Amino acid sequence: MRPQLQNMALSLLPTPEAAPRPELRDFYAMLRDYPQRGGKGIRSELLLLSAQAHGLAEGGAGWERALWLAAALELFQNWVLIHDDIVDDSDERRGAPALHKLHGVPLALNAGDALHAYMWAAVQKAGLDAGFSEFLTMIHRTAEGQHLDVSWVEHGEWNLQPADYLEMVRLKTGFYTIVTPLRLGALAAGQPPHPDFEAAGLSLGTAFQIRDDVLNLTGDPAKYGKEIGGDLLEGKRTLVVLHWLQHARETRRHIFLDQMRRPRTDKDPAIIEDLLEWLRGSDSLAYAQAFAAEEAERGLALLRGALAQAADQAAAGQILALMETLTQREA
Amino acid sequence: MRPQLQNMALSLLPTPEAAPRPELRDFYAMLRDYPQRGGKGIRSELLLLSAQAHGLAEGGAGWERALWLAAALELFQNWVLIHDDIVDDSDERRGAPALHKLHGVPLALNAGDALHAYMWAAVQKAGLDAGFSEFLTMIHRTAEGQHLDVSWVEHGEWNLQPADYLEMVRLKTGFYTIVTPLRLGALAAGQPPHPDFEAAGLSLGTAFQIRDDVLNLTGDPAKYGKEIGGDLLEGKRTLVVLHWLQHARETRRHIFLDQMRRPRTDKDPAIIEDLLEWLRGSDSLAYAQAFAAEEAERGLALLRGALAQAADQAAAGQILALMETLTQREA
């Protein structure tokens, strides 16, 4: 993430030194923890590139508006990650323990809520009514996708098709990762967002998430920042897993579902290692990669068309290049 | 709560019938659950009375602005209650099972987040920049109070004075229950909030919360809507308990703290019944009631002065009457 953006986000948060009590010093430090860990800043970068492509010059009039929206997007991701880590009971985030592992669920949940409000302070700083509505839509869609994802885990639902996964991932990842940043960039530049941004962004977001699912199985732990195999421990329904279940031998399928029925603490580490090997050795990985490549291609084609008339073609080209690297990334 | 306000809040939320998938039908129903359970609507009523006192006529120009702010305040309480019930692992809310008891923590946490965003949609409907900032401040202070309250439970902290309780309760309850509704009413009417609203509201909010703590020990279960004795099961630091601990015999103090060190499920119901009897039979109840009465008196005096020049003295009188009943309520 651009240091400038991180500083803007942090500037909205209270500083531990200013806390009137030791407990609040801890609270303020909790609010700053995830934002200080950084992150790649893909979404904020996409927003800023979109603003440039739509004619907003870096550092020119209106640029600060785009920066505040970008900072708000980073704060959005931070509070969502705090709550997601609780829901998934994840151990790590960005190479360090998850916030609820450091402070317990009740305090981390509350810190996520507070950070959610500070996100709106960043949106307010941008001072753009259309940006406000854009954030509302983004949160509504992301929460719907989260509900699908989590309800399947909660209800032990495995009777799912790839189409179910795709609907979930478009809602949960597509809006906040691609559609909303593209649209916010246009709005920051005072332009109406191209109607194809939504379809393009949902396809590219899907490709992005499938890549993430694959990296969760096969990635380099040092680069990836989350625990490898974590999705499996959390019982996540991914395209790889849904495809594998449709094609696995009955005995393996049975062993897999038996482990998935257990809470994380009751899962057998040795069997989970087997499952990981089976998934890694299956053609479901290649299937998912091919599926992602197709989604990426469809999204790129739509996006290329939507940006054909953009004011700044150099920035438009950077957007397309960023989108291409996202589906091929190693971390 | 006024049915009109409840309908306005519900009108912002998606309807289950319109859901594109069965899982989302459940999600939309979850969002509407707490708002549909009603609630007394004390805070929204106070906001509307404050708007009237400041010259906004019911049904006149600008009234809808006040109504949207009031609806937003009710939505605030609903998402906070969903998350608080998770944190406290409360069994009941408004006479029915808590949301996470019906759907599990992960889905309830996510529904609370989504409802938080819908609260901002109601704030946006009001279209008042100052109202937006007011909600930010309210959430920041409430989250700070929640952090104090929860961190004491999480860290087993019992080395606390009444002053610690008072600081917690002013942050956690005082702003969203009294200070913010009073200020929002003024802002909705286009008037600057009186500077004494803050001190008045913090005293009255303290009196309100102490009354709530007392009712949690001695209230009528049919009227109260939460489980009697729930605060004790949750290990809440209340003024009654902190005072009792300072004056209890060492053996009883030891038994009390031993139970408080245990997680809720390991607490001994028979001993908890004893503790409840000790608290109910102690003079700590009377101490807390007297403390609340003093806070109420101080707050009322300040508020009376702050409203002396208000445009609508009938509404100002209703505010003072409402404040008086709040500290003497039975539910």
Side-chain angles (χ1 to χ4, degrees), chain A residues 7-152:
Chain A
N7 289 336
M8 287 172 79
L10 288 170
S11 76
L12 296 172
L13 306 178
T15 55
E17 301 74 41
R21 297 178 60 102
E23 302 95 326
L24 294 181
R25 194 178 59 220
D26 297 342
F27 178 55
Y28 297 167
M30 284 178 75
L31 295 179
R32 303 171 81 85
D33 187 341
Y34 276 23
Q36 275 171 336
R37 293 187 194 183
K40 291 185 284 291
I42 294 163
R43 295 157 185 92
S44 53
E45 197 56 38
L46 178 55
L47 188 158
L48 294 175
L49 284 174
S50 174
Q52 286 178 280
H54 287 86
L56 205 64
E58 182 163 356
W63 182 247
E64 194 168 321
R65 198 163 56 198
L67 286 173
W68 278 119
L69 291 171
L73 213 47
E74 293 295 331
L75 286 169
F76 169 75
Q77 209 195 352
N78 281 296
W79 75 254
V80 165
L81 289 178
I82 292 173
H83 283 182
D84 274 12
D85 287 346
I86 293 173
V87 164
D88 298 335
D89 197 18
S90 302
D91 286 330
E92 293 185 19
R93 175 62 62 187
R94 294 174 183 154
L99 199 66
H100 71 286
K101 293 291 182 187
L102 295 170
H103 305 277
V105 167
L107 294 176
L109 197 166
N110 181 56
D113 286 338
L115 210 55
H116 182 165
Y118 282 106
M119 176 206 80
W120 286 106
V123 176
Q124 189 190 30
K125 283 273 192 184
L128 195 72
D129 280 348
F132 191 95
S133 303
E134 207 63 34
F135 270 84
L136 285 177
T137 301
M138 174 182 72
I139 301 175
H140 297 336
R141 294 297 86 77
T142 308
E144 287 167 357
Q146 171 76 347
H147 182 89
L148 289 184
D149 196 16
V150 174
S151 72
W152 296 337

Side-chain angles (χ1 to χ4, degrees), chain A residues 146-167:
Chain A
Q146 171 76 347
H147 182 89
L148 289 184
D149 196 16
V150 174
S151 72
W152 296 337
V153 175
E154 289 289 297
H155 301 143
E157 181 63 77
W158 283 101
N159 183 20
L160 295 165
Q161 305 303 314
D164 296 305
Y165 169 86
L166 294 172
E167 191 155 352

